[in-house]
Amino acid sequence: MVSASQPRISPGRFRELGPINWVVWQVLSRAAGTGDAQLFSTLGRSGGLFRGWLHFSGKLMPGGRLSRHDTELVILRVAHLRGCEYETDHHIRLGRRAGVTEEILERVRAGADAPGWSDKHRALLAAVDQLVATRDIDDATWAGLAAHYDERRLIEIVLLINQYEGLAATITALRIRRDKF
């Protein structure tokens, strides 16, 4: 849960972001449907690190090999487990475009044991829960996941979970405020 206190690092503008990161922030804010995607206007203050992080992040989402639907299930589950409303806000919107309905969103919040999941999605959500809770995935859960995904996607799933868990921690620690849509 993000604190209601002031951001620890204020969102930057042209002077703090520099011309490249300012343009990137503007484009990403428009794409997100907000005047100021505060995640990007904050992280953009880190210079080239921001662009490197964007490249890595973009390779996972939207550029990953997992279906967008599966990707959004992972991200929404991580956001729920970490109480990260910023991630939740954005990925509810993105999830809708990938077929995540209100009913599916409620099941994501309930977890892998909620009725209605396919074996594939039950295994995916169980892996998210274990990796977030224990920093590992046990052999039985891994075998369930491996029954549905090839090696490249298995690696991607682990990286995706950790990327969005780390992002949730970053958002929380920097006290980045939720965007206005």
Side-chain angles (χ1 to χ4, degrees):
M1 174 184 271
V2 177
S3 169
S5 67
Q6 292 295 316
R8 288 188 166 149
I9 297 176
S10 297
R13 295 300 178 254
F14 188 84
R15 181 181 178 141
E16 297 85 18
L17 299 175
I20 296 170
N21 287 358
W22 185 86
V23 169
V24 171
W25 162 64
Q26 290 287 306
V27 169
L28 292 173
S29 291
R30 283 190 192 100
T34 181
D36 180 4
Q38 295 201 19
L39 174 66
F40 302 126
S41 60
T42 302
L43 297 185
R45 294 179 71 130
S46 69
L49 178 61
F50 172 61
R51 295 185 302 279
W53 171 79
L54 277 177
H55 178 75
F56 173 72
S57 296
K59 288 290 191 178
L60 290 169
M61 197 296 293
R65 291 182 173 260
L66 285 175
S67 73
R68 282 303 301 273
H69 187 264
D70 288 3
T71 298
E72 292 303 331
L73 294 180
V74 167
I75 295 167
L76 286 163
R77 184 64 182 163
V78 170
H80 172 74
L81 292 172
R82 288 294 174 223
C84 186
E85 294 172 339
Y86 190 100
E87 279 182 355
T88 300
D89 290 347
H90 281 269
H91 287 279
I92 284 174
R93 294 165 59 96
L94 292 169
R96 284 187 188 128
R97 295 182 209 158
V100 178
T101 64
E102 278 300 317
E103 186 265 331
I104 293 171
L105 183 58
E106 287 306 313
R107 278 194 278 141
V108 167
R109 290 178 178 131
D113 294 331
W117 290 121
S118 66
D119 290 342
K120 174 183 167 182
H121 289 142
R122 188 176 313 284
L124 183 62
L125 293 173
V128 172
D129 287 3
Q130 280 192 13
L131 193 54
V132 168
T134 70
R135 309 305 311 139
D136 197 5
I137 300 171
D138 67 34
D139 291 341
T141 302
W142 185 264
L145 200 58
H148 303 284
Y149 298 97
D150 63 21
E151 288 180 347
R152 289 181 84 167
R153 284 172 182 80
L154 290 167
I155 293 167
E156 184 176 329
I157 289 165
V158 173
L159 288 170
L160 182 68
I161 294 165
N162 283 307
Q163 159 66 9
Y164 278 87
E165 185 177 16
L167 184 56
T170 299
I171 290 165
T172 300
L174 295 178
R175 308 293 191 258
I176 295 174
R177 292 187 176 181
R178 294 167 77 179
D179 293 335
K180 295 178 178 132
F181 297 102

